[in-house]
Every structure is written in C-alpha cells, then in structure tokens.
Amino acid sequence: MRPFPRPNMTLVQTARAPAVRFKPVMHLLGGDSLGLVADEPIEFEERVAFGPVANDNEMPSPAKWMAGRLERIASAASAQELPHRPILVAAPMAGLSDPDTAVACDAAVRRTILCQQEFCLMFTDAAFAGDPADSTARIARLRRVGFRVGIDMRHSWQTPLSESFRILIDTIRVDADALEASNELCDVVYAANSAGILVVADHANWRDGEYLNELGVAGAVAPQTDA
C-alpha cells in the first residue's frame, strides 16, 4: 500500500499565518512619511485563564509571542519592500512585565534583515498603571537592546509623563476624536510634544492638520480626506 503523501508543512504554516497589514503614518503638514503601523488580526490573550487551559504548556509566553510577531512583521515588510520606518507594533500589556521580552525580541529581529531601531513597540496606557519606577526599568530593558517604545493612548491616557519617563518614550498614539472631548488628553499631548515625543492620531483628517499641529499632534495614521 502506497503511503499518503505528507503535506508540505512550510506551505501549511504559511497559509495559516495571520496576514499583516500596514498603514502609513504621515506628517499632517508636510505630508512626509513618519513610518508605518503594522496590524494583525490576532492579538495576545490578555485574559486570566482557569482550569486545564491555565496549565497548557503550548500557550506561548508574552515574550515568545511578541518575538514571533516581530518576525512575521519583518518578513512581511521585507517581502512588500516597504521602506518607511519606524514600524509601530502593538505589544501585549503582559509583554512589558515579562523579563524575557527584550532578549526574545532582540533575538527575533536578529534573525531578520531589519534592525531593532526600525520597530516601535506600542504598549497600551494601562500597561504603565503600576509603579512608575518599575515601568521605567522595564522600558529601559527594551531601549538597551535598541527598540523604540511608545504608548497607545487611544482608550485611556493616565500615564504620568515624568521627566525621566519622557526621555524613554518615542511615540504616543491617540484618537483625534477624543481630543475634542478631553482637555486632559490635550494637556498630555501638548506635554508630550514639548518633550520631543512624536504624537500621531487615528481618525485624523488632512484638513485639520493646522489645528492638530497646534495641539501637538504631528502625524496621522492613514489620514482621511474629504469625500
């Protein structure tokens, strides 16, 4: 009896790999490129697991999961020959507290043709809710191996931008619609911009470039045009 042919595992893994989509980050006044945002349909499971699932050894650690994401994004950017940098990458909140994240991500990028400075790891505002000194130490680990670090403030904006903290943050991402509804967020954006942090906004329109620039927002993620 002839054995059934074994499937090409490389092709199977490629077919199942989540697609990476890239969005441009543009300067609202000059129109220059400020980099890219990389999106994937799958995110790290941040919820608490109970029962047998909690002991599943196949569940990747935050560090290992993040390393795999960077490899996928680097491969996709290289395959599409996208030159714009840095690439903003959503990072799981647990990845900031995992002591192995910096080492794992550093090793992952070294297996690609990109370098660490070409990535900006974007952690949600909630990831910095603990001890500020502890958050600073965790960011410093990532900075030491070359990664840029940013804060995603599209849903909350409670991270205190102390002087020591500001020098470690490269980019802050906000929602343009939330700026009109929150003076507190406007104050955060202005302080970040004054400290040299790049602030980019989602749902921003080209026509609002002057207004957003006055608030401290320099760039936009896939800026919109009037219909």
Side-chain angles (χ1 to χ4, degrees):
M1 180 182 296
R2 293 183 60 187
F4 289 104
R6 299 181 65 181
N8 186 319
M9 295 308 295
T10 301
L11 294 179
V12 172
Q13 291 173 357
T14 301
R16 293 178 179 176
V20 180
R21 295 186 306 150
F22 294 95
K23 298 178 184 177
V25 181
M26 310 293 293
H27 195 284
L28 281 168
L29 295 184
D32 301 323
S33 172
L34 296 176
L36 298 167
V37 167
D39 285 330
E40 284 188 300
I42 299 175
E43 292 296 335
F44 184 80
E45 181 57 75
E46 299 276 14
R47 293 182 297 179
V48 178
F50 299 95
V53 178
N55 298 320
D56 188 354
N57 293 328
E58 294 185 2
M59 293 180 64
S61 68
K64 184 177 180 181
W65 188 92
M66 190 64 202
R69 163 167 277 192
L70 291 182
E71 282 197 80
R72 291 192 300 272
I73 290 173
S75 297
S78 300
Q80 297 180 43
E81 299 182 348
L82 300 175
H84 306 298
R85 300 291 186 271
I87 302 175
L88 276 58
V89 180
M93 188 163 56
L96 187 63
S97 58
D98 192 326
D100 297 326
T101 297
V103 174
C105 290
D106 178 49
V109 173
R110 289 178 183 274
R111 292 191 289 269
T112 73
I113 64 171
L114 275 62
C115 66
Q116 293 79 354
Q117 279 192 323
E118 295 180 85
F119 293 96
C120 182
L121 308 184
M122 302 294 298
F123 296 94
T124 61
D125 174 67
F128 306 97
D131 182 10
D134 194 28
S135 296
T136 300
R138 292 169 179 174
I139 297 173
R141 285 200 295 261
L142 293 166
R143 294 299 299 259
R144 276 196 294 269
V145 294
F147 289 107
R148 306 180 192 212
V149 178
I151 308 176
D152 186 345
M153 292 188 173
R154 288 177 296 169
H155 302 292
S156 64
W157 41 88
Q158 301 301 315
T159 302
L161 296 178
S162 63
E163 185 174 350
S164 60
F165 199 78
R166 294 177 188 179
I167 62 176
L168 297 173
I169 298 300
D170 181 85
T171 303
I172 287 178
R173 187 177 179 184
V174 300
D175 190 315
D177 294 335
L179 284 168
E180 296 185 8
S182 174
N183 291 330
E184 182 185 7
L185 178 58
C186 290
D187 291 340
V188 172
V189 167
Y190 185 80
N193 177 263
S194 300
I197 298 172
L198 174 65
V199 182
V200 299
D202 286 40
H203 305 128
N205 197 300
W206 283 109
R207 70 168 184 270
D208 297 325
E210 291 282 356
Y211 165 72
L212 291 172
N213 185 69
E214 291 179 359
L215 293 179
V217 178
V221 178
Q224 306 166 4
T225 58
D226 293 324

